[in-house]
Amino acid sequence: QVQLEESGGGSVQRGGSLRLSCAASGEVFSVHGMSWHRQAPGKARQFVARITRDGTITYADSVKGRFTVSGNRGILTTYLQMTNVKLEDSAVYYCQADVVVAGGKNRPSDFWGQGTRVTVSP
């Protein structure tokens, strides 16, 4: 139906940079917003950043000034640019999208990707 695929995860040293991508595909009519979340081992999933179709952007306080979220036209693909990463940024990063499915109900449904792991080393 609708697939979200994250990419760009990997290992990075503290203070370094990494860029994650999330691409929506399948029966996508429109994307109303995409969010990034992360989950570290033994911890609850937490919100990281969000971008909406009208360009509204929000960040968690823990990443403000270090992470930047952006998207292409229609936000079918979004990017999470991570800079000055910290050890506590290590987690599996998930993409979530509010998608209106082509041929379906004319309201957004919630979809999640499988996640991409980010490991920050000292």
Side-chain angles (χ1 to χ4, degrees), residues 61-72:
D61 287 343
S62 58
V63 305
K64 278 181 182 177
R66 300 188 299 118
F67 290 10
T68 302
V69 65
S70 61
N72 66 351

Side-chain angles (χ1 to χ4, degrees), residues 15-35:
S17 299
L18 204 63
R19 189 176 84 154
L20 308 182
S21 301
C22 175
S25 62
E27 300 172 343
V28 177
F29 179 75
S30 63
V31 178
H32 287 214
M34 269 198 185
S35 299

Side-chain angles (χ1 to χ4, degrees), residues 69-88:
V69 65
S70 61
N72 66 351
R73 185 177 179 182
I75 54 172
L76 290 174
T77 301
T78 64
Y79 307 93
L80 184 68
Q81 179 67 49
M82 307 167 61
T83 62
N84 190 23
V85 296
K86 303 178 179 180
L87 295 176
E88 53 264 39

Side-chain angles (χ1 to χ4, degrees), residues 32 51-57 75:
H32 287 214
I51 182 169
T52 64
R53 191 171 57 172
D54 66 1
T56 302
I57 291 175
I75 54 172

